[in-house]
Amino acid sequence: MIGPERIVVAGASLAGLRAAEALRDEGFDGELTLIGDEPHAPYDRPPLSKAVLSGWLPTDRTVLPRARNIDARWLLGSPATGVDLAARRVALADGREVPYHRLLIATGTRARPWPRQQGGDLHGVHVLRSRDDADRLRAALAAGPGRVLVIGAGFTGGEVASVCRDLGLDVTVTHRGGAPLASALGGVIGDAVTRWYRDAGVDLRLGTTVRTLEGDAHGRLRRAVLADGTVVEAEVAVVAAGALANTEWLNGSGLAADARGVVCDASCRALTVDGTPVADVFAAGDVARWPHPLYPGQLLRLDHWDNAVAQARTAAHNMAHGSRAPRTHDPLPAFWSNQFGVNLKCVGLPALADQVVLTQGSLDQRQFVAAYGRRGRLIAAVAVDSPRVLDGYAALIEAGAPFPPVLNATDGPGRADPLDPAFPRPADPAPGDPSMPPTPPASSAPSPQPDPSASSAPSVLAGHE
Amino acid sequence: MTATTTTPTASTAHQHTATVLFAQGLRYEHRADPYPYYEQLLRQPVVRMDDGTWLAGGHREISLLLRDPRISADRLPPPQQRPIRKSLLVEDPPRHDQLRHLVTQQFVPRIMGMRDHIEALVTGLLDAHTSARPGQLDVVADLAYPLPVTVICELLGVPREDEALFGSLARRLTRGLDPIDTQTEDEIRELQQTRNELQQYLEGLIARHDTAPGDDLLAGLMHSHGPEGPIDPIDLRVTLGLLLIAGHETTVNLIANGTLALLRHPDALARLRTDPDLATPLVEEVLRYDPPVQMSGRSTLADIDLAGTTIPKGSRIRLLLAAGNRDPRRFADPDRFVADRTDNAHLGFGGGIHYCIGATLARAEAQIALTALARRLESPRLVADPPPYRENAILRGPESLPVSFTRLIADDGGAG
């Protein structure tokens, strides 16, 4: 085929691996190099906060299945540290330089760390993003701590708290908003989620944040002081306060990249700071921000498993075939979570809604579907313990169905009664003290993040450019 | 609403053509190969029929309807046809979900780890025919029928001596799934009578379990407590009947249709003989190419816009799963049997909230049975092609499937 001879994929996780496979499927037969900062072969992250923490699955069983042999050179254990767009070379931390004809940026995100000056380097303070994080946290939980503190009630926070309760551990969860998942799903559904937490015996502290983590003389975590002045005694803390895009290595490259992600166009081509697409640099997965036709005027960054796979395929297609008839990446966002014994699945982006209506089931029974609307159109739906119905809603959303939708579902309420979904307004001052800890100096300024949450959360970082 | 114009419009002409094609596809003389009619029907993915019902044959349209929240599984039969209590197959949420939950809780753990047992049953059934001499077996009577029946009866706790009686009831009852207009008055009357017989039989079975409870699925169902409390006696009987019939009348067709496909595609048969891993995609391809359940039914709870038309609220829809499985808009080369087809999102087990509960079990039974046939029959040949088919149009499959062979190879038990 006529095409690039050398493709470099920076990032050896889900998006990177699936892109590499897709490149081969698309007929790319040149030299393929994958760069990964971790020493591990690509693995699956969703089980880390679920099956792995609970002890059901060891991390060495989370390795991603390979769809095909990709015949690639693997440079693992050494992150990319820079890119020279003019010379088409990627620099690695170990000093090597890798030339490319086309480059895919798939470096993903990392957990937002707790600041050192607020106790972030105490023994017992964890984040959960990587396989090694999961191994450490699993060991800490298996040791039977007296209490676990989870900072943040987004998707990861909820999954961790749920596993802790399953393990019989006492758990305190702090959340700056009025309800868990409120910025992803709104306060109406968040209030139902609050009941899941409380029924499971979680000590849930809403409308507050952690001011500092404090340790003993040996540097071990002992307690947390909250913004409301109360103290929580805990030996393990899990910081589930959102994700930062791994884009520091792109600083100075001329690409439009910051802690919110790397900006690309609908066909996955990375943009420079002046908004021009770079012909030979693409982005996919958690790190990419792009315009989605269903959500005009916004740049989306999704850390969803499905999106990583789909975007990787689109990018690979366009990389292999150049600019002839590029594909655009516009699938309906979808993600899922398991916590407190319920399966939660979502299509579309609820966070953009101005109304919500319960269409099936009941909030109290923990089995329901809620539909979200924006300006009279159905834009999202969330299903709790009803995963099989969601494809139908997805089709309605894609067809531009009106909101509230006329469903007459047999398990629906007699009358559709749309409510304000009660999303926290970004302008709301956070109750209590500190906003999220500052981002590391290496990155440029982050946008305000309404609800920090990690792996499976819909991080809709709605920039307004 | 009916067309009031005096000259037939394009749409009423389509409607009439579709009605005729559908009727043709269901006729018994076309049972061995209804697919040419389905192919013509597919030219319109959704069409209204002369009797006001709707027919969906497109893969995309069926998939959407199966998952649409504006859909009821109740096919709205005439009220006099309605059984006292609907089974979860035609029940809607929330009752469907409660019943399904009770069943899956009992069913899933019991079928896990069953593969070895299924292997042993298949080996036993074929061993009866092991012979160095040329011979013949009826794949339906000797394997495809007894295998799933034994499995479902064991699972549920039906005594072996009742199998024959039950089998005859099940066969007569499944005719009731066919469109009413293909049944005679006598058949409809017989159906009601059979329902009564089945009900009596199941009451007896439940009563016996009450006095001597076992650890089978029936006992599990009787003593399970969902969020709504224990299962009520009528639901128990209806659910039990459904499981027994589904266990009798579907997997038999899957295995028989699979055997037929293998014998008509010797290359696939040869590959399966040496590569048992091929059984997994191959069974999926049988489910696509020649599905045991040809169609399903739904009704609409609201107006649904689909394929450029509006299906009004309160309509009955037939979902022609077997046509969707051969939709050229979804599958490349849809009329070709491709044993290792990938991206095989067939509709063989339905979809959405009613997706077949027994799918895992049916897959295991078919994979094991077809692999055993491929390995153990030397030079197999269809005695009649096409074979005689059963009366049933919806649960479609051969009545018998005589296969001759030069030798039925003894099971090496993996020891060779």
Side-chain angles (χ1 to χ4, degrees):
Chain A
M1 68 178 286
I2 301 161
E5 289 161 37
R6 273 195 300 271
I7 289 183
V8 170
V9 177
S13 191
L14 180 64
L17 175 64
R18 293 293 177 248
E21 289 170 344
L23 281 166
R24 293 302 192 202
D25 286 340
E26 297 278 355
F28 170 66
D29 57 2
E31 197 182 297
L32 183 58
T33 304
L34 275 85
I35 299 170
D37 59 344
E38 293 180 61
H40 309 294
Y43 55 86
D44 211 14
R45 291 184 202 276
L48 297 181
S49 54
K50 307 171 183 87
V52 167
L53 283 195
S54 65
W56 275 94
L57 197 68
T59 47
D60 57 12
R61 297 280 301 281
T62 59
V63 173
L64 279 168
R66 304 288 176 90
R68 55 144 44 242
N69 176 17
I70 56 172
D71 185 24
R73 187 161 65 119
W74 293 84
L75 304 178
L76 297 179
S78 185
T81 51
V83 59
D84 183 334
L85 296 183
R88 293 185 180 171
R89 299 172 84 82
V90 175
L92 265 61
D94 61 12
R96 277 184 289 188
E97 295 217 327
V98 189
Y100 65 81
H101 291 114
R102 293 210 173 121
L103 169 67
L104 178 67
I105 299 168
T107 42
T109 59
R110 62 181 183 280
R112 185 188 289 268
W114 197 252
R116 178 175 299 176
Q117 61 273 26
Q118 287 169 242
D121 54 0
L122 290 169
H123 185 79
V125 178
H126 295 259
V127 293
L128 179 54
R129 175 72 192 167
S130 70
R131 193 180 142 164
D132 293 343
D133 293 338
D135 278 329
R136 281 190 289 265
L137 181 54
R138 165 73 195 138
L141 298 182
R147 178 169 292 275
V148 178
L149 170 67
V150 178
I151 304 173
F155 287 95
T156 301
E159 289 174 7
V160 171
S162 169
V163 168
C164 287
R165 290 305 298 146
D166 289 345
L167 294 171
L169 300 171
D170 287 335
V171 190
T172 296
V173 177
T174 61
H175 189 63
R176 67 204 302 250
L181 301 180
S183 46
L185 304 178
V188 173
I189 302 305
D191 286 345
V193 180
T194 298
R195 289 197 288 278
W196 308 348
Y197 275 70
R198 299 235 152 102
D199 289 350
V202 173
D203 169 30
L204 177 63
R205 313 284 187 93
L206 295 170
T208 189
T209 53
V210 173
R211 188 179 293 156
T212 54
L213 298 172
E214 295 179 359
D216 60 16
H218 306 290
R220 292 175 184 282
L221 175 69
R222 283 292 171 248
R223 72 194 68 80
V225 181
L226 307 192
D228 59 15
T230 56
V231 170
V232 176
E233 308 282 339
E235 294 123 73
V236 172
V238 184
V239 182
L244 300 170
N246 294 320
T247 53
E248 290 81 356
W249 67 288
L250 300 172
N251 285 348
S253 67
L255 291 176
D258 58 27
R260 294 170 295 175
V262 52
V263 180
C264 57
D265 65 14
S267 47
C268 306
R269 289 183 304 173
L271 304 188
T272 62
V273 283
D274 61 12
T276 319
V278 181
D280 296 323
V281 180
F282 294 75
D286 292 5
V287 76
R289 293 175 77 204
W290 87 106
H292 191 298
L294 274 177
Y295 311 100
Q298 325 240 10
L299 287 175
L300 302 189
R301 186 179 71 73
L302 301 175
D303 30 22
H304 303 167
W305 197 96
D306 292 22
N307 184 64
V309 173
Q311 205 166 17
R313 290 204 185 114
T314 307
H317 174 87
N318 295 342
M319 290 176 85
H321 300 291
S323 53
R324 287 168 288 133
R327 271 187 204 157
T328 57
H329 176 63
D330 55 6
L332 196 62
F335 70 94
W336 75 96
S337 176
N338 288 313
Q339 46 185 291
F340 304 107
V342 302
N343 168 269
L344 186 152
K345 237 183 134 183
C346 186
V347 289
L349 291 174
L352 303 178
D354 52 32
Q355 283 194 305
V356 64
V357 66
L358 189 76
T359 50
Q360 290 183 256
S362 85
L363 296 180
D364 292 339
Q365 300 234 331
R366 296 193 185 192
Q367 185 172 39
F368 62 84
V369 183
Y372 292 80
R374 177 183 173 88
R375 295 179 189 157
R377 290 270 164 220
L378 181 69
I379 61 154
V382 60
V384 165
D385 269 0
S386 320
R388 289 184 192 282
V389 305
L390 220 49
D391 294 351
Y393 286 85
L396 289 173
I397 294 165
E398 286 180 328
F403 183 89
V406 180
L407 305 176
N408 303 321
T410 47
D411 58 341
R415 185 171 58 91
D417 197 9
L419 300 168
D420 178 340
F423 284 102
R425 280 168 293 148
D428 283 352
D433 188 11
S435 53
M436 288 319 301
T439 42
S443 75
S444 49
S447 68
Q449 273 200 115
D451 186 19
S453 51
S455 63
S456 48
S459 304
V460 185
L461 306 187
H464 296 281
E465 43 272 81
Chain B
M1 192 149 88
T2 52
T4 51
T5 45
T6 48
T7 49
T9 62
S11 75
T12 58
H14 274 308
Q15 175 178 312
H16 188 63
T17 310
T19 307
V20 172
L21 284 170
F22 182 63
Q24 288 289 320
L26 289 187
R27 287 174 72 92
Y28 181 72
E29 59 261 42
H30 300 140
R31 190 73 79 243
D33 188 13
Y35 295 102
Y37 299 97
Y38 298 169
E39 187 197 342
Q40 293 184 65
L41 276 170
L42 267 177
R43 287 174 196 164
Q44 267 202 303
V46 173
V47 65
R48 186 174 184 270
M49 313 276 275
D50 281 345
D51 65 359
T53 64
W54 291 72
L55 185 71
H59 184 281
R60 180 186 137 79
E61 290 72 25
I62 294 171
S63 303
L64 289 172
L65 288 169
L66 283 170
R67 292 165 178 81
D68 200 302
R70 298 165 295 182
I71 279 291
S72 166
D74 192 338
R75 295 107 208 245
L76 309 174
Q80 68 272 20
Q81 293 293 328
R82 219 174 256 272
I84 359 180
R85 187 73 62 88
K86 294 184 292 176
S87 79
L88 64 103
L89 189 68
V90 289
E91 184 58 91
D92 289 323
R95 273 185 44 75
H96 161 270
D97 301 352
Q98 292 154 9
L99 286 171
R100 187 177 170 108
H101 182 71
L102 287 175
V103 173
T104 45
Q105 266 193 325
Q106 294 300 320
F107 193 73
V108 173
R110 285 187 166 84
I111 61 164
M112 285 167 73
M114 259 193 97
R115 290 191 77 100
D116 287 348
H117 181 58
I118 295 169
E119 291 259 16
L121 290 173
V122 169
T123 303
L125 288 165
L126 289 180
D127 278 350
H129 304 269
T130 306
S131 156
R133 283 168 290 113
Q136 188 171 314
L137 62 81
D138 175 357
V139 171
V140 171
D142 298 334
L143 178 65
Y145 185 76
L147 174 66
V149 165
T150 304
V151 169
I152 197 70
C153 287
E154 285 177 358
L155 263 176
L156 285 170
V158 172
R160 179 145 291 191
E161 60 269 23
D162 290 358
E163 278 181 22
L165 164 71
F166 187 80
S168 127
L169 287 172
R171 177 146 301 200
R172 281 184 277 151
L173 268 177
T174 47
R175 268 293 273 160
L177 292 175
D178 277 356
I180 277 308
D181 49 13
T182 70
Q183 294 171 48
T184 63
E185 287 285 317
D186 282 351
E187 278 179 322
I188 293 170
R189 218 177 357 262
E190 189 195 300
L191 191 64
Q192 194 49 51
Q193 197 183 326
T194 311
R195 280 201 190 111
N196 296 340
E197 281 176 55
L198 174 72
Q199 189 169 319
Q200 279 167 21
Y201 170 74
L202 294 176
E203 275 169 7
L205 187 65
I206 293 167
R208 278 179 282 162
H209 266 72
D210 251 342
T211 53
D215 60 358
D216 47 56
L217 198 150
L218 172 54
L221 274 181
M222 288 169 71
H223 301 113
S224 63
H225 282 251
E228 322 300 314
I231 191 166
D232 97 25
I234 300 176
D235 282 334
L236 176 63
R237 206 168 59 217
V238 171
T239 305
L240 185 60
L242 173 70
L243 293 177
L244 273 167
I245 290 166
H248 270 71
E249 298 295 323
T250 51
T251 313
V252 52
N253 292 337
L254 177 59
I255 296 172
N257 294 352
T259 307
L260 203 50
L262 276 177
L263 296 183
R264 286 171 177 168
H265 298 89
D267 48 330
L269 180 69
R271 279 183 63 194
L272 181 60
R273 194 172 288 142
T274 54
D275 177 13
D277 288 347
L278 183 64
T280 306
L282 184 136
V283 166
E284 298 312 300
E285 180 68 344
V286 177
L287 283 157
R288 185 195 71 83
Y289 181 78
D290 208 10
V293 181
Q294 295 268 299
M295 69 188 84
S296 186
R298 295 290 189 271
S299 59
T300 52
L301 300 167
D303 290 359
I304 295 181
D305 293 329
L306 195 61
T309 182
T310 299
I311 307 174
K313 175 180 175 176
S315 305
R316 273 180 78 187
I317 312 178
R318 292 202 173 100
L319 308 175
L320 198 42
L321 306 173
N325 277 353
R326 299 220 187 181
D327 188 339
R329 285 164 287 225
R330 179 61 182 80
F331 297 107
D333 222 349
D335 292 324
R336 224 181 73 180
F337 183 82
V338 181
D340 56 358
R341 187 182 283 272
T342 53
D343 186 26
N344 193 350
H346 62 73
L347 302 166
F349 289 125
I353 63 169
H354 291 277
Y355 185 86
C356 177
I357 291 179
T360 307
L361 180 60
R363 283 184 166 119
E365 289 173 350
Q367 289 161 5
I368 292 166
L370 294 177
T371 306
L373 283 175
R375 276 184 39 235
R376 298 188 60 186
L377 293 185
E378 188 176 86
S379 310
R381 206 174 51 81
L382 287 171
V383 172
D385 192 3
Y389 268 77
R390 295 169 47 188
E391 196 60 43
N392 206 301
I394 290 192
L395 304 184
R396 175 181 157 277
E399 174 72 41
S400 68
L401 188 59
V403 173
S404 68
F405 48 87
T406 53
R407 187 164 72 104
L408 203 144
I409 302 160
D411 185 46
D412 60 9

